[in-house]
Amino acid sequence: MPSSAASPTARIPGFATPDGTRRYAERLRTKTAARHFREQNGLLISSIGIGTYLGEPDAATDQGYTDAVAAAVENGVNLIDTAINYRFQRSERSVGAALRKLVAAGVARDELVLCTKAGFLTTDGEMPAEPVEYFTREYVEPGVFRVDEIAAGCHCLAPSFLENQLERSLRNLGVECVDVLYLHNPETQLGEVARENFNGRMRAAFQFLEAAVATGKIRMYGLATWNAFRQPETAQDYLSLEEMTGLAREAAGDQHHLRFVQLPFNLVMHEALTRPNQVVAGRKVSMVQAARPLGITLVTSAPLLQGQLTHDLPAYVAEALGCSSDLERALQFARSSPGITTALVGMSSAEHARANLLLAATEPAERDQFLRIFERRK
């Protein structure tokens, strides 16, 4: 049996609201800078969010993430990011435990923007000795997905699978509603699926997600990507944001709920700002420039590149951004980029969260500071 299990207690009702997120920002104003919170989709969202990706599938890491999420919310983070496949569903359960702790302490559900992801196959709590037998029993035999709906041996966009995963996520998190449900690295499919078929799968996935919005299980949805929006247009796993929003319009009209994109952005991987690989209304632009007219909120992953950018940065970065450490400078770069709402940082202990969130009291870099980095690169 998995050592980490979803709580049997009643689920927390509600979802992030304009009033709730403003209440949170006002309560945290003595700990945070004035421009730490940004308004998107009517919500005030912190410029730093907590991620829950890395770590062993064990009880110590479970507790570390629970403590980190609670400490992050107490110190200025109201965007929480996870995924059902992170640590075999255990990260979602750690977030759920933190939410119960926070609500018991007086934090309201409507103050927090809760995000998770679906798309990758995952087992429950640990890797079983016979994973094929597990997936056959859990998914194939009950008809949750067909074998021919799996791409790369690990990825599925079938509506019945997404529905199954959403129900599991809601149970793991102990909530009635998720604010943002991402399709997780959908470009994974493009290694095996022709683009026309891929677009059909995406359209069907969007139709399911719109139905989930209608039933109150999610509020919005998005695309959490790695390569898709950073690549040249000729790359096999490239995605056009205009085309994706067009598929969402086909699913639900102009009032569709495709509102978020997550992609890597940091001092090394800065294509979202510097590569004009998107076309909007016939004009070539960068991803940052494409997002606003298409109504998309951008959230960045990997601002520290899994720790690689926390030391030995060029001196000109410190000269441009100030801050007291390379870790802070790398995070400051990501959260200060024009067009970026939130930079996600993995935090797996309360101490880690408190250290990272000292930066929340510092204003994001001004535009001239930010651009100075690129001038020095040249």
Side-chain angles (χ1 to χ4, degrees), residues 56-95:
E56 295 298 319
D58 57 33
T61 309
D62 294 344
Q63 188 61 53
Y65 271 122
T66 294
D67 295 343
V69 171
V73 171
E74 290 163 0
N75 286 277
V77 163
N78 74 335
L79 187 142
I80 303 166
D81 184 87
T82 190
I84 192 167
N85 64 305
Y86 288 174
R87 301 172 52 254
F88 308 122
Q89 303 187 51
R90 299 173 76 122
S91 284
E92 282 191 332
R93 291 168 183 159
S94 292
V95 171

Side-chain angles (χ1 to χ4, degrees), residues 181-249:
L181 179 62
Y182 290 103
L183 297 182
H184 200 174
N185 290 16
E187 70 268 33
T188 302
Q189 300 254 330
L190 287 167
E192 295 185 5
V193 178
R195 194 165 289 270
E196 182 179 353
N197 293 339
F198 170 78
N199 285 348
R201 291 183 176 190
M202 292 294 287
R203 188 183 299 107
F206 289 165
Q207 289 169 343
F208 162 72
L209 292 167
E210 292 290 347
V213 172
T215 57
K217 293 182 178 180
I218 68 174
R219 297 290 288 173
M220 296 169 281
Y221 59 93
L223 305 174
T225 65
W226 188 254
N227 288 328
F229 294 115
R230 300 188 301 112
Q231 297 279 58
E233 302 95 307
T234 55
Q236 183 182 56
D237 53 359
Y238 165 84
L239 289 182
S240 158
L241 186 60
E242 188 175 59
E243 186 173 28
M244 292 300 103
T245 56
L247 293 175
R249 279 195 299 276

Side-chain angles (χ1 to χ4, degrees), residues 4 22 90-91 99 106 116 140 157 174 191 197 201 203 241 260 276 329 347 350 357:
S4 177
R22 289 179 189 282
R90 299 173 76 122
S91 284
L99 291 174
T116 194
V140 178
L157 291 173
N197 293 339
R201 291 183 176 190
R203 188 183 299 107
L241 186 60
F260 280 75
R329 291 175 193 116
M347 308 183 205
L357 291 170

